[in-house]
Amino acid sequence: MLRAFRTTRRKSVRSTVAGFALAIALAGGVAVGSTAITSETAQAQNSRGFADAFGPVAEMVQPDVGNFEGARAAIPTVIAAIENENDRQVAGNLILNIGNNLNDASLQIQGLQMMVDSGLLPPEQVAQYNSFIGRLAFQNEDWPTARAGFAAAQAAGFSDPEVDLVALTAETYAREDDIAGAVSYTMSQVEAREAAGQTVPEAWLLSRLQDTYDFDMSAEALAISEALIRNHPTQRNWQNTLRIVNQLFELEPEVRIDLFRLMRLNDAIVDRSEYVRYIEDLDPRVMSNEVQQVLAQGLDNGVFEAGDVYYTEVKAIADQRAPQDRNGIDRIVAEGENGDALDAIGAGDVLYSISDFARAETMYRTALERGYDADTANTRIGITQAQQGNYAAAVETFGQVQGQREPVARMWTAYANYMMAEGA
């Protein structure tokens, strides 16, 4: 169902690091140009002992010599001679140059890190160099180092519309098969963005939604679904999130009905099997008027055809029963008012099926007062409130729902909040 997200995520990661070898080469060029690799430079700016160790290696990397393997072997000697931060910066520059010429990511990372650690980089370059460290480590499949580089780049204020460090960081967890870590990290970034009033990229959430679906992580999928609807309430996202909740949570028919109601409201029922299950959960002999509505939507959406055997058989049952409920509604309501909790909930359900949401809410409240299951009653009170456009009250009511119905109530809450945000 959601496999398209996987391709999108991999493409995003590839595009984020595309052309990165050139970027690193340019960074190395800038560094070398600004601090020429010569023994004279070391003597002028660095400690005497470091200059003595540095000089012979600097000669090895000159264009007319190009002994980079020899320079690689001498790196430990240069590092051992470091006495101050100027030494560290120049040594890092040298190691980066060697790594660039040998196409050795480990040396490139080492050189860049030493330059950052020296504290002598121009402030505007700190974020960029840390991002280079992270991306080089990513390409080198050194996931912890990549995360550290990306985090340091973010802390230094890195900003590039072509590079998504959050997506890359989350991907490092996924590459380690730590899907829970990828989800946890992404959601922490989502919460930070939301708290700051900033836009949350849709791709962050879609990638993690795919992962939670693939790995049957129902609780995490629900949280991501809520965030996706908060930030990107498109028709496709409503469809995918509601269908994922429906598939990952093993809901009993009585609970699933209320999720299907939200799915129908958002035109998120796509498959014939979903329509059939919704109808069977309702039972055309009991909730005939609602079944008629479901059949009509399925017909309009091309899921059913007028000559479809299943469609015609169910429609015949619903068409026979529906007028009885509509014509006898006063008697049904009276029974609900005068009977027990079961009578009241039954009356509320029939009223709901004929779209009399105000009276249905009253009956559901009566059922609750008479001891009917609070989670069921509150779910349906909240739904009737939402159907009447009383979204603030619905959110409050859904907040009281626990147990198996909680995922359903939370998605209805997402819908109510969305409608309030839209000014509906």
Side-chain angles (χ1 to χ4, degrees):
M1 177 176 67
L2 299 174
R3 297 297 174 183
F5 293 170
R6 180 70 69 186
T7 301
T8 300
R9 183 178 77 189
R10 299 305 180 200
K11 181 179 179 183
S12 173
V13 170
R14 286 196 299 270
S15 64
T16 299
V17 297
F20 181 55
L22 176 61
I24 283 293
L26 292 175
V30 170
V32 171
S34 62
T35 307
I37 299 180
T38 67
S39 58
E40 289 79 6
T41 298
Q43 290 171 352
Q45 299 182 6
N46 302 87
S47 65
R48 183 71 186 182
F50 176 78
D52 290 343
F54 176 89
V57 186
E59 293 301 320
M60 294 180 191
V61 300
Q62 298 309 309
D64 57 340
V65 179
N67 181 10
F68 294 103
E69 286 295 347
R72 185 212 299 265
I75 287 174
T77 300
V78 174
I79 292 176
I82 292 174
E83 296 181 19
N84 57 48
E85 298 309 323
N86 285 325
D87 296 348
R88 193 178 313 282
Q89 183 188 36
V90 174
N93 193 331
L94 172 66
I95 295 169
L96 174 61
N97 183 279
I98 297 168
N100 284 344
N101 281 279
L102 293 175
N103 195 27
D104 186 320
S106 296
L107 289 181
Q108 289 173 312
I109 293 168
Q110 184 181 9
L112 287 165
Q113 189 65 62
M114 289 175 68
M115 295 173 74
V116 170
D117 291 345
S118 75
L120 298 177
L121 283 176
E124 65 274 11
Q125 291 184 4
V126 173
Q128 182 186 43
Y129 275 54
N130 276 303
S131 78
F132 287 160
I133 292 169
R135 284 183 281 171
L136 274 169
F138 188 99
Q139 290 181 329
N140 211 33
E141 299 186 0
D142 180 352
W143 311 124
T145 300
R147 284 194 288 272
F150 295 147
Q154 285 182 287
F158 179 83
S159 178
D160 184 338
E162 300 299 319
V163 181
D164 189 337
L165 296 187
V166 171
L168 284 169
T169 301
E171 187 67 14
T172 65
Y173 289 104
R175 296 291 179 91
E176 291 179 315
D177 293 326
D178 182 6
I179 304 304
V183 171
S184 177
Y185 168 77
T186 299
M187 293 306 291
S188 72
Q189 296 299 304
V190 168
E191 291 169 5
R193 284 285 186 104
E194 289 180 332
Q198 298 172 342
T199 300
V200 175
E202 185 178 30
W204 293 2
L205 296 164
L206 291 179
S207 292
R208 303 286 77 81
L209 185 63
Q210 178 70 68
D211 285 337
T212 55
Y213 176 73
D214 289 345
F215 290 90
D216 295 325
M217 299 169 67
S218 56
E220 293 84 352
L222 178 59
I224 293 171
S225 294
E226 292 171 308
L228 193 54
I229 294 304
R230 279 197 306 273
N231 292 280
H232 300 281
T234 64
Q235 172 60 32
R236 180 174 178 81
N237 287 339
W238 272 114
Q239 187 179 102
N240 281 326
T241 56
L242 290 171
R243 295 181 75 202
I244 283 176
V245 171
N246 188 32
Q247 291 190 30
L248 292 186
F249 288 89
E250 297 181 1
L251 304 175
E252 295 177 359
E254 273 293 307
V255 179
R256 192 166 54 222
I257 285 172
D258 291 328
L259 183 62
F260 274 131
R261 285 169 169 162
L262 181 59
M263 292 175 71
R264 184 163 72 89
L265 196 61
N266 288 281
D267 201 21
I269 306 177
V270 177
D271 293 340
R272 178 188 176 92
S273 62
E274 291 173 330
Y275 274 99
V276 170
R277 176 167 284 186
Y278 185 9
I279 291 167
E280 298 301 317
D281 288 348
L282 286 169
D283 191 337
R285 299 165 300 179
V286 179
M287 299 290 283
S288 52
N289 283 277
E290 188 170 354
V291 168
Q292 284 181 326
Q293 298 165 26
V294 176
L295 288 171
Q297 186 183 71
L299 189 65
D300 289 343
N301 289 345
V303 175
F304 297 126
E305 295 181 359
D308 186 312
V309 174
Y310 178 82
Y311 173 84
T312 56
E313 288 182 353
V314 171
K315 190 173 186 301
I317 297 171
D319 288 350
Q320 181 181 10
R321 175 61 188 264
Q324 299 175 26
D325 286 346
R326 290 194 300 271
N327 296 333
I329 192 61
D330 290 338
R331 173 186 55 79
I332 294 171
V333 170
E335 291 175 354
E337 291 173 337
N338 298 314
D340 58 17
L342 190 59
D343 293 321
I345 203 77
D349 287 343
V350 175
L351 286 163
Y352 186 96
S353 75
I354 63 174
S355 302
D356 189 342
F357 301 122
R359 286 206 291 174
E361 180 185 351
T362 299
M363 282 292 96
Y364 290 141
R365 289 188 182 282
T366 300
L368 179 62
E369 292 167 0
R370 293 176 183 171
Y372 199 80
D373 176 67
D375 291 325
T376 300
N378 280 321
T379 300
R380 293 187 175 167
I381 290 169
I383 292 173
T384 56
Q385 289 171 326
Q387 292 281 29
Q388 295 172 79
N390 193 357
Y391 301 116
V395 169
E396 184 177 352
T397 302
F398 289 134
Q400 302 176 52
V401 178
Q402 300 177 348
Q404 191 184 45
R405 287 184 171 273
E406 183 181 355
V408 177
R410 284 169 60 177
M411 291 308 295
W412 269 101
T413 298
Y415 171 76
N417 282 324
Y418 162 70
M419 295 299 287
M420 283 193 287
E422 292 293 299

